[in-house]
Amino acid sequence: MAEKIRTLKSEEIVDKRICELGACISRDYEGKQVHLICVLKGGVFFMCELAKRITVPVTMDFMSVSSYGDDTKSSGVVKIVKDLDEPLEGRDVLIVEDIIDSGRTLSYLIEMLHKRNPASIRLCTLLDKPERRVREVKVDYVGFNIPDEFVVGYGLDYAQKYRNLPYIGVVEEAE
Ligand code: IMP
Ligand code: MG
């Protein structure tokens, strides 16, 4: 069945918000170097755009995780499919995510990365669905709070499709 995509946040609105986040992060990390960690694959479009808007020195690394079990049964344990290339010891880490939903992935990931002794860890997400939260996660930078709807674009997929849309849209089943 084909889907229809309804625009939720236009390209212009998303770009403007990323500029604001970049300015805010640049202020907060003044005099420091920020180590961006992208959670693949969804976070990659957002991280690239965000990195271009940060004026303090930036380094980047990438990791890929998958959840064990389905959504209802998930123990919150995530499997590392691709680990970071570099150690985090002494670095100011900023995790960059596409969306926080239940919070399971990020609460586990943050706890795990803390054990690698970074100087600090903060979290930046393009989208947040606070109503869906089952695990508490401290989110330091949020692009947009959105309602509980399934969204695609800007890295987010529906069955691996639509990641390349330059805006955020809601998936609606066509009649
Ligand atoms: P959490 O552990 O439930 O917070 O899972 C977050 C992950 O679920 C995100 O990184 C996305 O990969 C995926 N996800 C959650 N909501 C959506 C959505 O609306 N569209 C696409 N992917 C989503
Ligand atoms: Mg993600």
Side-chain angles (χ1 to χ4, degrees), residues 97-99 101-105 129 149-151 156-157:
E97 252 288 33
D98 49 358
I99 189 164
D101 187 36
S102 70
R104 286 190 184 103
T105 312
K129 289 183 189 170
E149 291 183 296
F150 197 82
V151 290
L156 291 146
D157 73 300

Side-chain angles (χ1 to χ4, degrees), residues 39-43 65 96-100 105-106 156:
V39 185
L40 294 168
K41 302 169 183 150
V65 298
V96 181
E97 252 288 33
D98 49 358
I99 189 164
I100 318 244
T105 312
L106 261 294
L156 291 146

Side-chain angles (χ1 to χ4, degrees), residues 26 29-33 56:
S26 303
Y29 286 85
E30 187 69 55
K32 293 182 181 170
Q33 176 168 309
V56 298

Side-chain angles (χ1 to χ4, degrees), residues 103-122:
R104 286 190 184 103
T105 312
L106 261 294
S107 68
Y108 181 83
L109 202 63
I110 289 172
E111 196 182 301
M112 191 194 77
L113 296 181
H114 261 301
K115 294 182 185 147
R116 301 186 187 186
N117 296 318
S120 65
I121 297 192
R122 285 185 183 169

